[in-house]
Amino acid sequence: MSVPLRIEIMQRETIKPSSPTPLALRSLKLSLLDQFMPISHITLVLFYPGNGNDTDHLGKAKETSLRLKTSLSEALTLFYPFAGRLRDNSSIECDDHGAEYIEARIHCILSDILRKPETEVLKQLLPAAIGDAVITARDSQLLVQASFFDCGGLAIGVKLSHKIADAATLASFIKCWAATARSSSTEVIISPVFMGASIFPQMDLPIPMLPVDLIQGEAVLKRFVFEAPKISALRAKAISASVPNPTRVESVTALIWKCAMSASRSNLGVPRKAVLSLGVNIRKRLVPALPDSYGGNYVGSISPRMEDHDDLELQGIVSRIRKDLTEFGEHYAKITQGGDTSLAICKTVEDFGKMAMSKDIDYYNCTSWCNFELYGADFGWGKPTWLSPVFTTELKNVVCLIDTRDGDGIEAWISLSPEDMALFESNKELIEFSAANPSVSV
């Protein structure tokens, strides 16, 4: 698919909540975990094929756009912070400022985009900010772009502030918005809960920032797909006495990290230490556990480490990931919600930052969006044929995992330095279990 796309912006407007936010909810205090997050957006694009029986694509687009805007307004009544503005690094002013909505026409057909998905093309399906990007991120927590293709297909691009949402919260919002659009009287819509600051209170201490600069630099981003049968074989290969039941996420993460470390070592010509920051949903680890309807950032991380003398062996890497996950769960099961939790998180982030800043260690970051059931997002015209997060900045040594459409496979977007990617993508073990950027069937 050629770059750039032929895009025609039809309208841009601000969508406000259908009901005003009560005065008691007009100020939302950020949690400690929210404060850690940079002023940036989480991104997602969902693709829907056109109805072959519809020939009036323009009329259908107007009808669809109206449904999206009306249901978005209703969903914002529940997700009221998404219509607010970030005032500082401590609170959101929930003033019903609104979400930005853009309607666009894309002068090509959907299958052209999905034949070989490219990040530079996907970026153009995200809502573009007018003016300074940082100011937009502060004043607009949510931006949406509905892009209608010449064939009748649709792409819904979403940018949601990372200050008030993690991937689980994004998924909860998409499900709520879609359910509202379906307008079924029997639909049960779960209201979100925004009370992260009471669980992870702010601390009167300097906030240790995550070491984002460690993953900035020239990078090549590519998509690899691990289908369900290949993952079954990979899991069987990863079985060991210490981990008799490796999960699909553990197995795929371990293989990707192994191949990335191997590429780095080969290019450097010497063994090298490596650490992996792997995001973990804290909601499931607390006692009592919290449902995903708890909005905000509830993500911690584990940091399995490989020494320069360690063999890069799949079973051993899986064991290290499982060991850290187990210890992480035990830790959060013991601590109480409140100040002690926040203090412990601050120390963990600070310690990790010091370790990762070492000049003789490779730093990798992995995020999993698996099991969030995003493919259930039916707005009334069927489920998405494909969806994907979109990398909008150049970062290296970063991995994002997300379910395939059947829910059993995994798609991985992987960003490495050009030198490491050249060796990584030719790794025989990676080729055995994955396919490089296959076409998406419409």
Side-chain angles (χ1 to χ4, degrees):
M1 180 67 208
S2 61
V3 179
L5 297 174
R6 288 179 55 212
I7 302 176
E8 183 181 359
I9 301 298
M10 304 305 293
Q11 64 170 316
R12 179 188 287 263
E13 62 183 286
T14 300
I15 306 297
K16 297 182 181 293
S18 57
S19 299
T21 300
L23 290 176
L25 302 177
R26 285 294 177 115
S27 180
L28 177 68
K29 200 171 185 179
L30 296 179
S31 75
L32 180 71
L33 293 176
D34 296 329
Q35 290 182 298
F36 283 149
M37 297 301 164
I39 299 177
S40 62
H41 288 98
I42 308 173
T43 60
L44 178 70
V45 180
L46 305 99
F47 294 88
Y48 297 85
N51 186 333
N53 297 322
D54 288 326
T55 56
D56 182 13
H57 296 323
L58 186 59
K60 187 65 176 178
K62 289 181 179 178
E63 177 188 326
T64 299
S65 187
L66 179 60
R67 179 186 288 197
L68 285 172
K69 290 188 290 184
T70 302
S71 55
L72 176 58
S73 177
E74 295 173 7
L76 285 173
T77 301
L78 296 176
F79 287 83
Y80 58 92
F82 297 1
R85 286 183 274 194
L86 180 67
R87 282 308 179 206
D88 47 42
N89 198 34
S90 63
S91 65
I92 298 287
E93 182 181 349
C94 305
D95 58 357
D96 297 339
H97 171 70
E100 301 304 311
Y101 179 89
I102 301 168
E103 180 184 333
R105 298 284 186 275
I106 310 295
H107 294 294
C108 71
I109 60 176
L110 180 59
S111 58
D112 288 343
I113 302 284
L114 302 184
R115 188 170 293 116
K116 286 288 182 181
E118 300 175 13
T119 301
E120 291 305 313
V121 173
L122 298 181
K123 284 180 184 179
Q124 298 172 66
L125 301 176
L126 291 173
I130 293 180
D132 186 89
V134 174
I135 293 176
T136 299
R138 286 173 179 160
D139 288 349
S140 299
Q141 306 311 301
L142 174 65
L143 300 94
V144 174
Q145 179 170 312
S147 300
F148 296 91
F149 293 84
D150 288 341
C151 60
L154 166 67
I156 301 176
V158 179
K159 293 172 72 173
L160 179 59
S161 172
H162 211 338
K163 275 292 178 186
I164 55 172
D166 56 13
T169 300
L170 171 63
S172 295
F173 168 70
I174 295 293
K175 292 174 191 175
C176 173
W177 182 17
T180 304
R182 289 197 298 270
S183 304
S184 171
S185 58
T186 59
E187 197 81 44
V188 177
I189 297 177
I190 300 175
S191 297
V193 177
F194 294 98
M195 55 179 296
S198 66
I199 300 172
F200 302 108
Q202 298 177 8
M203 301 293 294
D204 188 18
L205 295 169
I207 302 297
M209 301 309 292
L210 297 171
V212 179
D213 57 316
L214 295 177
I215 53 178
Q216 291 177 334
E218 184 182 2
V220 175
L221 176 65
K222 297 200 175 185
R223 168 177 169 258
F224 298 84
V225 177
F226 299 77
E227 297 290 356
K230 294 289 187 179
I231 290 181
S232 295
L234 179 61
R235 291 176 65 187
K237 186 175 182 178
I239 290 174
S240 65
S242 58
V243 186
N245 57 341
T247 67
R248 62 193 181 110
V249 171
E250 287 173 334
S251 303
V252 170
T253 300
L255 176 62
I256 291 171
W257 191 26
K258 174 187 177 183
C259 295
M261 287 188 289
S262 177
S264 175
R265 289 184 177 188
S266 294
N267 279 322
L268 290 170
V270 293
R272 187 169 168 86
K273 301 173 186 176
V275 61
L276 173 69
S277 175
L278 179 60
V280 181
N281 188 346
I282 294 177
R283 295 173 183 83
K284 308 302 182 186
R285 311 286 174 166
L286 293 173
V287 178
L290 303 176
D292 282 337
S293 58
Y294 271 63
N297 288 286
Y298 290 82
V299 178
S301 65
I302 60 170
S303 306
R305 175 171 170 154
M306 298 293 290
E307 301 298 334
D308 50 10
H309 55 76
D310 289 332
D311 292 330
L312 301 183
E313 184 264 330
L314 185 67
Q315 293 177 337
I317 296 173
V318 169
S319 295
R320 296 205 181 191
I321 292 173
R322 175 64 66 86
K323 177 177 178 292
D324 278 28
L325 280 171
T326 301
E327 291 176 353
F328 182 94
E330 291 172 346
H331 174 70
Y332 275 91
K334 290 176 183 177
I335 62 178
T336 59
Q337 298 175 16
D340 290 344
T341 306
S342 291
L343 198 59
I345 291 172
C346 273
K347 187 176 186 308
T348 299
V349 173
E350 188 175 18
D351 290 346
F352 176 77
K354 291 177 180 177
M355 175 182 66
M357 289 299 288
S358 172
K359 296 184 183 300
D360 64 344
I361 194 166
D362 283 335
Y363 171 71
Y364 298 87
N365 181 280
C366 180
T367 301
S368 172
W369 288 24
C370 294
N371 302 315
F372 287 143
E373 301 176 347
L374 283 163
Y375 275 98
D378 179 0
F379 287 81
W381 44 79
K383 297 179 180 180
T385 193
W386 189 61
L387 54 83
S388 178
V390 183
F391 283 60
T392 56
T393 56
E394 193 168 84
L395 302 172
K396 64 179 180 179
N397 293 357
V398 173
V399 179
C400 184
L401 308 179
I402 193 166
D403 292 324
T404 53
R405 185 165 51 191
D406 61 12
D408 296 321
I410 290 178
E411 295 200 9
W413 285 95
I414 302 170
S415 178
L416 298 171
S417 69
E419 300 79 14
D420 285 357
M421 180 60 79
L423 293 179
F424 177 87
E425 64 183 342
S426 62
N427 187 291
K428 291 182 179 179
E429 193 171 18
L430 179 74
I431 294 171
E432 178 185 355
F433 293 105
S434 71
N437 200 24
S439 296
V440 177
S441 58
V442 180

